[in-house]
């Protein structure tokens, strides 16, 4: 964790903002967005938060060892949650006039922006549920787990060089 309580550094934040804006703008520009899409999107945030809670609780109860790989590119809980949310977006579009592609991509983009603002270093699909509950559930995710891990290694290595190399402001001469 960084000194300011953020779990992600500037690279992870910038990547989340860039991809979040791209997901929102590209999906709206390609298909447009209607009032049904907005209504479904709002419902999807709530349904997504409930789905995240169920997936996490299910894995905690039935397969707690699955969380041991939360730093991997896609942990079992992370992949399960993403698959469930993609399925839910398309199911919602089957029962409403909403476009499942637009709903999912705008929701994902908004989740990325929420995660970037909060400094959240876990799976982007948990940004809204964590914002609602105040928790910091962490599961590995496809896109940003590798970026965040590389940035953390770089910060650790840089910190060690400053401290060991004497560039931390102190005089290390004998």
């Amino acid at each position: 964790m960084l000194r300011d309580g953020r779990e992600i550094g500037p690279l992870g934040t910038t990547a989340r903002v860039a991809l979040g804006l791209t997901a929102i703008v590209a999906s709206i520009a390609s298909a447009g967005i209607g009032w049904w899409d907005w209504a479904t999107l709002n419902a999807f945030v709530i349904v997504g938060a409930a789905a995240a809670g169920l997936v996490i609780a299910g894995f905690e109860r039935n397969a707690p060892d699955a969380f041991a790989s939360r730093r991997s590119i896609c942990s079992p809980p992370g992949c399960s949650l993403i698959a469930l949310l993609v399925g839910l977006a398309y199911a919602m579009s089957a029962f409403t006039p909403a476009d499942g592609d637009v709903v999912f991509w705008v929701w994902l983009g908004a989740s990325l922006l929420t995660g970037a603002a909060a400094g959240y270093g876990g799976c982007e699909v948990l940004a809204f549920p964590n914002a609602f509950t105040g928790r910091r559930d962490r599961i590995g995710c496809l896109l940003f787990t590798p970026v965040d891990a590389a940035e953390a290694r770089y910060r650790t290595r840089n910190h060690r060089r400053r401290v060991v190399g004497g560039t931390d402001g102190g005089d290390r001469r004998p």
Side-chain angles (χ1 to χ4, degrees):
M1 183 157 319
L2 299 173
R3 289 182 192 168
D4 60 359
R6 294 178 62 83
E7 297 171 353
I8 59 174
L11 180 61
T13 301
T14 303
R16 282 169 174 84
V17 168
L19 194 58
L21 290 174
T22 300
I24 292 169
V25 170
S27 63
I28 291 174
S30 69
I33 189 163
W35 71 271
W36 261 105
D37 298 324
W38 284 115
T40 305
L41 181 63
N42 289 321
F44 192 72
V45 169
I46 295 166
V47 170
L54 290 172
V55 167
I56 290 170
F59 273 96
E60 285 174 344
R61 182 171 185 208
N62 300 315
D65 294 339
F67 290 101
S69 62
R70 69 180 68 200
R71 297 234 186 261
S72 66
I73 288 179
C74 192
S75 66
C79 287
S80 299
L81 183 56
I82 291 169
L84 178 62
L85 292 172
V86 168
L88 282 172
Y90 289 103
M92 290 177 102
S93 72
F95 296 107
T96 68
D99 183 346
D101 287 340
V102 172
V103 170
F104 180 77
W105 288 109
V106 171
W107 172 80
L108 184 62
S111 295
L112 289 166
L113 295 175
T114 301
Y120 172 63
C123 186
E124 56 273 7
V125 297
L126 288 178
F128 281 125
N130 284 336
F132 289 147
T133 62
R135 294 175 53 165
R136 288 284 192 169
D137 292 323
R138 300 266 326 229
I139 56 177
C141 236
L142 293 169
L143 297 177
F144 296 106
T145 297
V147 171
D148 295 337
E151 192 169 22
R153 282 191 305 272
Y154 175 77
R155 280 194 313 267
T156 301
R157 188 175 35 230
N158 239 8
H159 177 72
R160 283 188 199 139
R161 283 185 188 148
R162 281 195 310 266
V163 171
V164 172
T167 60
D168 64 346
D171 187 9
R172 297 200 179 266
R173 287 183 267 178

